[in-house]
């Protein structure tokens, strides 16, 4: 594993110093470091921050690999300074089972550019009707802790209550796309109305 | 788009701010009632900020995010009818933008999150009504934060790394570079300025709302557990 010496870099805005990276960790921080085996990165005028973390990323895989893949989105993230992204559940199929979240998690590992942490759906198919397999996703290799129907609001208050209660057992979070659907629905004049009595 | 003066003038159907605020108000009460953790995605209105402020004052376990685009752009962008500016929640007014910036600074909003939403050309380059909502964000977020917040590095680290890592429970991320911590870090040139060219982005999609805008800051290097993923501003693989 190559070592890297970043010289004269400002760590989170502080006075310039040197950073030595070795064996996956920050090995040393201080002025005037020397490491003959290290690749030198001139950090003069630059700022080092802890890698950025995105709580809300759509990677589109599985389902819309023409728009983005876990790999292309991971590359975009790394180029943006990110080291971890949370992948939203509105893929096709929806990330509402352990199988799908593990697939996304594994694709992230294989791309190896950022840590991809899958978010699980709150409801089956994002349909807002019944809870998805929250516990199975939490127990999966992806260790899901954030659940969201993003793109859709969990509009049913009883379902939202149950979801909040359920994830409390493992200190999970419900990430809500807050949009009351009755207040954003298209005007009735543009919709085809079913005749009375039809299913 | 946002329901307001601009939507009325353009003849586009608007989504009112209250559609967002009503759900946040309900959900903070539900989270308080059951004692659970709630996170609010892409907060976009001044009214939402006030609901969150009151909930946090009461001790409700709620966190909230704002997107880069809601910190910079307003509903007036829709005047071009260019669906690249169609996003959910919609771009709001200048007063909303000001409230979101203030809330980010004072901590009512905890996190900047991108809502990076790639869309294929056929889903974006069409009539406004048929376009999918969403914008790219990953490759421009730090530049927008720098533009909006200035070189407030501690605040940027807090809102874009430490706090989101803590909310997601991602140990090893969101930790300032110090001896012994995992080398997950990024190196930024704050003096650089770059003009955004959609075709130069690494995303498979092109729907950036910042096309041909010149933004401050450039990512020079990114390290994931000590291995560079970006060096000299270029992806390693």
């Amino acid at each position: 594993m190559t070592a890297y010496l970043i010289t004269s870099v400002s760590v989170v805005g502080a006075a310039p110093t040197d950073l030595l990276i070795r064996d996956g960790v920050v090995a040393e921080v201080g002025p005037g470091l020397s490491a003959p085996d290290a690749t030198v990165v001139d950090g003069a005028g630059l700022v080092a921050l802890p890698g950025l973390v995105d709580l809300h990323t759509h990677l589109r895989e599985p389902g819309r690999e023409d728009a983005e893949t876990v790999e292309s989105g991971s590359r975009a993230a790394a180029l943006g300074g990110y080291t971890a992204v949370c992948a939203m559940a509105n893929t096709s199929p929806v990330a509402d089972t352990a199988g799908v979240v593990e697939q996304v998690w594994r694709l992230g590992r294989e791309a190896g550019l950022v840590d991809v942490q899958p978010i699980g759906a709150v409801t089956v198919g994002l349909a807002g009707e019944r809870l998805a397999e929250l516990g199975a996703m939490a127990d999966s290799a992806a260790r899901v802790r954030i659940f969201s129907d993003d793109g859709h609001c969990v509009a049913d208050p009883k379902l939202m209550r149950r979801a909040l209660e359920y994830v409390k057992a493992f200190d999970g979070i419900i990430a809500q796309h807050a949009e009351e659907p009755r207040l954003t629905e298209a005007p009735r004049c543009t919709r085809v109305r079913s005749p009375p009595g039809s299913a | 788009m946002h329901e307001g003066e601009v939507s009325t003038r353009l003849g586009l159907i608007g989504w009112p701010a209250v559609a967002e605020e009503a759900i946040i108000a309900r959900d903070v009460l539900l989270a308080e009632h059951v004692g659970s953790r709630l996170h609010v995605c892409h907060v976009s209105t001044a009214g939402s900020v006030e609901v969150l402020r009151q909930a946090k004052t009461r001790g409700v376990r709620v966190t909230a995010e704002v997107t880069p685009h809601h910190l910079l752009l307003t509903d007036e962008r829709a005047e071009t009818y260019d669906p690249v500016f169609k996003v959910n929640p919609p771009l709001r007014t200048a007063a909303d933008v000001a409230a979101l910036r203030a809330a980010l600074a004072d901590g009512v909003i905890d996190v900047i999150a991108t809502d990076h939403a790639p869309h294929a050309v056929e889903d974006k380059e069409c009539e406004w009504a048929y376009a999918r909502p969403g914008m790219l964000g990953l490759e421009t977020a730090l530049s927008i934060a720098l533009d909006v917040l200035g070189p407030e590095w501690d605040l940027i680290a807090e809102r874009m790394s430490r706090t989101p890592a803590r909310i997601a429970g991602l140990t090893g991320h969101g930790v300032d570079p110090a001896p012994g911590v995992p080398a997950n870090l990024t190196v930024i040139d704050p003096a650089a300025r770059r003009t955004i060219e959609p075709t130069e982005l690494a995303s498979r999609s092109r729907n950036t709302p910042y096309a041909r805008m010149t933004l401050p800051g450039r990512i020079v290097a990114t390290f994931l557990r000590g291995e560079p993923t970006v060096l000299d501003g270029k992806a390693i693989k």
Side-chain angles (χ1 to χ4, degrees):
Chain A
M1 200 175 206
T2 312
Y4 290 87
L5 179 62
I6 309 174
T7 57
S8 302
V9 69
S10 165
V11 177
V12 198
T17 188
D18 295 349
L19 270 180
L20 179 64
I21 297 168
R22 192 193 290 282
D23 296 329
V25 299
V26 177
E28 288 184 74
V29 180
L33 296 184
S34 156
D37 62 324
T39 300
V40 175
V41 177
D42 180 5
L46 309 185
V47 177
L49 295 183
L52 306 184
V53 175
D54 194 18
L55 285 183
H56 193 145
T57 310
H58 297 276
L59 293 176
R60 302 295 187 222
E61 188 177 5
R64 284 307 300 265
E65 292 84 352
D66 57 327
E68 199 79 287
T69 63
V70 172
E71 184 183 353
S72 68
S74 292
R75 189 171 296 110
L79 284 163
Y82 288 87
T83 53
V85 301
C86 297
M88 271 298 173
N90 62 338
T91 49
S92 179
V94 170
D96 58 6
T97 62
V100 178
V101 293
E102 286 187 345
Q103 179 192 1
V104 172
W105 177 78
R106 195 179 64 250
L107 288 167
R109 297 262 293 203
E110 286 166 10
L113 291 158
V114 292
D115 284 346
V116 174
Q117 173 57 56
I119 291 173
V122 178
T123 67
V124 174
L126 310 176
E129 289 168 0
R130 56 196 172 93
L131 289 185
E133 298 172 3
L134 308 184
M137 289 188 273
D139 288 342
S140 75
R143 296 183 50 77
V144 176
R145 289 295 177 274
I146 303 177
F147 297 86
S148 182
D149 275 3
D150 183 61
H152 301 268
C153 184
V154 181
D156 180 344
K158 188 163 127 187
L159 204 55
M160 185 64 180
R161 176 194 173 160
R162 294 290 177 239
L164 285 164
E165 285 174 332
Y166 196 100
V167 301
K168 194 178 175 184
F170 45 84
D171 202 29
I173 305 174
I174 303 298
Q176 175 71 294
H177 172 119
E179 177 193 336
E180 167 50 58
R182 291 280 285 151
L183 290 173
T184 59
E185 68 188 11
R188 286 192 172 275
C189 58
T190 65
R191 298 170 76 195
V192 178
R193 301 183 76 173
S194 304
S198 67
Chain B
M1 73 170 298
H2 172 64
E3 180 184 293
E5 185 203 323
V6 178
S7 68
T8 306
R9 189 149 33 87
L10 298 180
L12 291 172
I13 294 160
W15 287 7
V18 69
E20 174 175 308
E21 294 152 4
I23 292 291
I24 298 176
R26 182 201 76 178
D27 284 356
V28 295
L29 292 172
L30 283 172
E32 184 173 34
H33 179 63
V34 301
S36 294
R37 293 170 71 194
L38 170 72
H39 178 75
V40 183
C41 298
H42 41 52
V43 171
S44 71
T45 79
S48 296
V49 167
E50 286 318 303
V51 173
L52 288 164
R53 189 186 307 279
Q54 291 171 25
K56 286 190 163 194
T57 303
R58 282 204 314 278
V60 179
R61 300 171 77 198
V62 59
T63 53
E65 70 186 35
V66 64
T67 70
H69 45 273
H70 287 111
L71 289 170
L72 189 71
L73 307 175
T74 68
D75 59 347
E76 295 186 349
R77 295 279 168 160
E79 288 174 353
T80 62
Y81 291 97
D82 184 344
V84 80
F85 298 112
K86 180 173 174 177
V87 65
N88 182 1
L91 300 175
R92 305 286 187 180
T93 68
D96 293 305
V97 169
L100 294 169
R101 290 183 179 197
L104 189 67
D106 69 21
V108 169
I109 292 176
D110 304 82
V111 162
I112 297 176
T114 67
D115 195 7
H116 178 82
H119 285 299
V121 170
E122 66 269 25
D123 291 328
K124 223 39 192 169
E125 294 185 8
C126 55
E127 299 91 326
W128 182 278
Y130 298 109
R132 301 277 300 153
M135 302 173 164
L136 300 183
L138 287 169
E139 293 172 77
T140 46
L142 191 278
S143 289
I144 303 300
L146 197 53
D147 191 51
V148 167
L149 300 173
E152 298 286 338
W153 298 112
D154 194 64
L155 183 63
I156 290 171
E158 194 68 21
R159 298 284 179 260
M160 298 184 79
S161 176
R162 299 177 198 137
T163 306
R166 193 175 66 243
I167 290 170
L170 296 172
T171 53
H173 291 277
V175 185
D176 288 6
V181 310
N184 298 319
L185 57 100
T186 189
V187 181
I188 300 147
D189 181 356
R193 295 184 71 80
R194 63 189 176 126
T195 301
I196 306 302
E197 292 296 341
T199 56
E200 292 174 3
L201 297 173
S203 171
R204 284 203 176 175
S205 294
R206 300 284 168 260
N207 54 307
T208 174
Y210 311 113
R212 286 164 294 285
M213 282 176 67
T214 299
L215 299 174
R218 187 176 75 98
I219 303 297
V220 175
T222 307
F223 291 86
L224 178 65
R225 283 182 285 282
E227 290 287 351
T229 54
V230 173
L231 268 185
D232 294 328
K234 296 180 181 64
I236 293 294
K237 57 179 179 181

